[in-house]
Structure formats: C-alpha cells, structure tokens
Amino acid sequence: MSVIAISRGSLSAATKLAEGLSSKLGGTVITREQVLEAAERYGIAESGLEMRHIVAQHPPGFWEKYADARKHYLACFKAALFDFVLRGPIIYHGNLAHLLLKEVHFVLRVRVNAPLENRVEAMTAELGVSRQDAMLRIETIDKERRRWTEFLYDVDVMNPILFDVVLNLRRMTIQDGIQMIAAALENEQFRRTEEALKAVRDIQLATITQIRLMSNPDTYGLALNVTADSSAGKVTVTGRLRTGDAKAIKDGILSALAGLSPVKEVEARVGIA
C-alpha cells in the first residue's frame, strides 16, 4: 500500500474511514496531532505559530508579517510528515498532508464530506452537549480550520481539484468509501516504488536543510532555494538576492549547515542582483 491522505471535514467520519482502511489494506493510522508532536524535534515551536492565536486576528499586513514564520512552520511539519511516509505505508487524517505531499506521486488524496446532521449527532453523543451547542461548536471548528489552512497556504481547503477522491457520505457509507479507495489504489501511479521513495528522500533532505537555514541568524529570512541528492548526501543552495555580500552569505550558508546529517557536501551558489 502507498500513502492515503484524508482531509477531514468530519473528525468522526475520517477516523472511522482511516481505521477501516487500515483494517482492510494495512498501514499505520497517523493523525495531524501525532505529526505536530513529531515536528517538535525539528523546532516547530520556534516558528511562533499556533492556530488559536492566528485565526483570531487579521491586522493590516497580516500575511506579510508572518511570511517567514509560515515557511518555518510548514517545513517542520513537512519534515515530520515525511519521516512517517518513509517508515512505511500510512493513512493520515488531518488537513495539511494533501497539500504538503503534492510532490509525492504515490499519495492518494481523499476528502470526506459528512452531512451536518451526522456530525451533530456524533458530537452530541460524544460530548453530551445539546444539539444547538453542537452546531455552534461545529461552525466554529470549521471556520477556524478553514482560516488556518488559508493562512498557511492561501488556498480554499474545500476546492475539489486538490483531491483525487471526494467522498460524499450523504450518498454513501463508510464501507462504500473504503471500497472506492481500495479500487483507486490499484492504479499504477500509486505504487510505492524505489524511484518514488528516492524522490521523497531527496525532498526530505532539502526540507531539513531549509529548516537549518531558517533557524540560523546568518541565513534567516533569505530567499534561498534548496535541492538535494540524498544518495550522495549533497545539497545545493541557490539564491539571487537584492543586497548583501555574496561571499559572506555563502560563508553563512556553509556555517549554518555544518554538521548537518546526512549532508556530506554543500554547494552554495548565491548572486547579488
């Protein structure tokens, strides 16, 4: 099995779908919360971003103010997510993976849409709240989730073009969805080949390198691009900056990446416009 990334419109439905897929196809169920915990080793807390704080305010210049922090947060989350992908087949449910894994060919991106009434019933049963309270909670959750994703990616999380399969649970059951996904995974493009895994390892190494550059005061905030060859342990850092001393910036890059495993060779190509 490859990787299934489920974007959850309903936590309850996505959980049942993920568990059902794991039982039928194998693969480890991974949640957004687990990835966030794993991302702590990459310094995700240092980005200074937290959903409740961000979605509560949109002051003038909001997007620009947090541009570097967004990049840092996403890089840390991506690195942790790729760790799980490289360990073996996974079934993820959350709201970031289908976007962060867009470069991985063997990922099946799934959107689960559950009727509001089903979500209300599930929440009243789980939390013991009234129907009205459940509806208000769901409205708040959906609004915060959408604003958070739009903040990070500047995209509409509901856009169907972002997914390979969209399941409408108003017209089908969880079991129907499991059968549809299992059939879709028979497609050749979702096979977990060594070539595809090599591409994932390359991206993973480039992402870890970017995190190190973002965390170093000499290279923080610089518009630098990173590519990597994981087999050779080589990373290439390029950039064309408007101002600065090219040699000093190159030295800063080499210093920032010193001792970074498994990097064996760093090529820095920086020019000043």
Side-chain angles (χ1 to χ4, degrees):
M1 195 194 79
S2 54
V3 172
I4 303 171
I6 303 171
S7 180
R8 57 193 191 200
S10 164
L11 175 58
S12 175
T15 300
K16 291 177 181 177
L17 178 64
E19 291 173 349
L21 287 166
S22 179
S23 178
K24 180 178 178 63
L25 304 174
T28 304
V29 176
I30 302 296
T31 67
R32 171 181 177 272
E33 292 71 26
Q34 288 175 280
V35 177
L36 280 173
E37 182 178 354
E40 290 179 5
R41 69 184 289 258
Y42 292 110
I44 195 168
E46 297 172 13
S47 69
L49 294 187
E50 198 272 326
M51 187 171 78
R52 293 184 183 278
H53 166 68
I54 294 299
V55 300
Q57 57 175 309
H58 282 275
F62 175 80
W63 302 94
E64 293 79 8
K65 178 181 178 181
Y66 289 101
D68 290 332
R70 278 194 301 169
K71 292 177 183 177
H72 191 178
Y73 179 97
L74 288 173
C76 292
F77 194 96
K78 182 177 181 177
L81 182 59
F82 273 43
D83 283 341
F84 285 109
V85 170
L86 289 169
R87 288 175 200 161
I90 65 170
I91 302 165
Y92 170 94
H93 63 89
N95 289 293
L96 288 174
H98 66 291
L99 296 168
L100 286 175
L101 295 173
K102 63 182 180 181
E103 302 159 291
V104 183
H105 299 305
F106 53 83
V107 174
L108 181 70
R109 303 167 300 170
V110 179
R111 172 73 184 177
V112 180
N113 292 326
L116 177 60
E117 191 56 41
N118 291 17
R119 298 177 66 190
V120 170
E121 289 180 5
M123 183 169 286
T124 55
E126 181 182 351
L127 302 180
V129 297
S130 68
R131 186 176 186 280
Q132 183 64 27
D133 189 25
M135 291 184 68
L136 290 174
R137 287 175 183 238
I138 290 171
E139 182 181 354
T140 299
I141 290 170
D142 286 351
K143 185 181 295 184
E144 288 187 351
R145 182 182 295 156
R146 189 161 187 165
R147 289 178 70 179
W148 175 245
T149 306
E150 288 176 351
F151 162 71
L152 290 175
Y153 287 99
D154 195 19
V155 298
D156 180 2
V157 68
M158 299 292 287
N159 191 337
I161 201 171
L162 300 173
F163 306 98
D164 303 304
V165 176
V166 178
L167 303 179
N168 180 1
L169 297 185
R170 187 183 298 276
R171 296 176 56 83
M172 65 178 67
T173 65
I174 292 290
Q175 193 58 40
D176 292 334
I178 291 172
Q179 296 299 329
M180 286 182 63
I181 292 170
L185 288 174
E186 293 297 320
N187 193 304
E188 184 71 25
Q189 73 183 80
F190 297 116
R191 297 196 182 278
R192 190 183 177 93
T193 65
E194 184 52 42
E195 181 182 2
L197 285 171
K198 166 63 165 58
V200 174
R201 287 190 287 268
D202 289 349
I203 298 169
Q204 169 76 327
L205 181 54
T207 303
I208 295 173
T209 300
Q210 289 173 330
I211 294 170
R212 178 67 73 89
L213 293 172
M214 293 177 198
S215 303
N216 189 285
D218 293 330
T219 50
Y220 174 81
L222 296 179
L224 300 171
N225 299 311
V226 181
T227 57
D229 182 342
S230 58
S231 298
K234 178 180 178 180
V235 296
T236 302
V237 184
T238 61
R240 188 148 190 88
L241 310 176
R242 294 182 180 180
T243 60
D245 183 303
K247 183 179 183 306
I249 293 172
K250 290 179 183 179
D251 290 343
I253 292 171
L254 296 176
S255 176
L257 301 181
L260 178 62
S261 179
V263 175
K264 300 176 182 177
E265 179 185 355
V266 178
E267 181 180 356
R269 300 199 300 264
V270 179
I272 304 300

